[in-house]
Amino acid sequence: MSTAEFLLRAENLTKKVSSPEGELTILDSVTIGVPRGHTAAVVGPSGAGKSTLLALLAGLDEPTSGKVWLNGAELTALDEDGRAGVRNREVGFVFQSFHLLPSLTAIENVLLPLELAASPNASARARQALVDVGLEQRLRHYPKQLSGGEKQRVAIARAFVTSPSLLFADEPTGNLDNKTGAKILDLLFDLNTAAGTTLVLVTHDLEAAARCRHVIELAGGRVVKGG
């Protein structure tokens, strides 16, 4: 498969950091590719490098060496502002800890990325995104008035409202009970399929990973399966 067919591609990604014990290698020559419209899970034990890999793939951090391409843009050739521009255009995020702004209502949290992008029909789009995740009765509620599952639904609505080409979901059920987490995963995969988005799911949940078309397993900072 050519590089052009991958929405997300990383070649020989290495991340090293300094520590009191000397230089530590967090990621070691990681090469992976996720085809456009596919779903991929990144799995592995704690400390395997999953969160570091996600940060590098999203352009939130810079590798010590190696390259990342996202929808044709070489993130590793851009400065911080350039990477932020690609993220704003191309990427949605769903995090374990929701990352909602507590001073904003549900609809205001979903509106925020649309307003930052000066998107047309922002209010109608934000409202529809919350309807799509079953929260039409919670538009004016603040995060502290919502359950964990409802907060994650708001976060999912915010992630999809900009129609990203790529969605990163980092342990999206990690703060939820099993029943709520299963519903959130169903919602995430259903919306992803409907939107034709490319999904990269970082998870400890092997059942969730098994729902993805590709499984990339990390151990000790290296890819030991998939990629």
Side-chain angles (χ1 to χ4, degrees):
M1 189 173 287
S2 71
T3 299
E5 293 176 77
F6 290 105
L7 183 85
L8 182 65
R9 175 80 178 155
E11 286 188 1
N12 295 317
L13 275 190
T14 296
K15 181 68 176 179
K16 298 182 179 183
V17 298
S18 299
S19 78
E21 292 78 36
E23 190 174 67
L24 294 178
T25 300
I26 309 299
L27 286 177
D28 187 4
S29 302
V30 169
T31 294
I32 63 169
V34 183
R36 191 177 302 276
H38 287 207
T39 55
V42 179
V43 301
S46 295
K50 301 188 299 296
S51 294
T52 300
L53 177 60
L54 185 148
L56 295 176
L57 294 176
L60 295 167
D61 192 10
E62 295 181 87
T64 304
S65 60
K67 296 181 178 181
V68 177
W69 292 267
L70 201 170
N71 206 10
E74 186 186 335
L75 288 182
T76 37
L78 301 174
D79 62 15
E80 192 168 339
D81 287 344
R83 296 195 304 272
V86 173
R87 267 198 312 278
N88 291 341
R89 291 192 304 273
E90 304 283 356
V91 180
F93 291 96
V94 178
F95 296 100
Q96 177 176 342
S97 54
F98 317 129
H99 286 213
L100 301 179
L101 293 174
S103 61
L104 300 183
T105 62
I107 195 165
E108 288 168 343
N109 267 283
V110 178
L111 263 171
L112 193 59
L114 294 173
E115 291 178 335
L116 290 172
S119 298
N121 306 315
S123 293
R125 289 171 65 185
R127 181 184 178 87
Q128 185 58 51
L130 285 168
V131 170
D132 290 345
V133 298
L135 289 182
E136 56 270 26
Q137 305 302 319
R138 296 285 190 270
L139 303 183
R140 306 297 172 191
H141 286 60
Y142 290 91
K144 66 182 180 183
Q145 298 171 303
L146 301 174
S147 69
E150 288 170 338
K151 289 177 188 175
Q152 197 60 296
R153 286 172 185 267
V154 174
I156 289 170
R158 181 182 59 189
F160 277 106
V161 75
T162 55
S163 301
S165 56
L166 175 65
L167 181 71
F168 287 109
D170 189 5
E171 300 284 2
T173 62
N175 279 341
L176 306 174
D177 62 72
N178 288 341
K179 184 177 178 182
T180 303
K183 289 180 179 178
I184 288 296
L185 275 179
D186 286 344
L187 175 66
L188 186 63
F189 278 95
D190 287 348
L191 288 173
N192 192 73
T193 299
T197 310
T198 304
L199 173 67
V200 175
L201 172 68
V202 176
T203 183
H204 282 97
D205 183 344
L206 295 182
E207 286 186 18
R211 297 176 67 167
C212 293
R213 188 163 175 177
H214 309 276
V215 177
I216 299 163
E217 185 177 349
L218 295 181
R222 298 182 71 96
V223 175
V224 295
K225 179 184 175 185

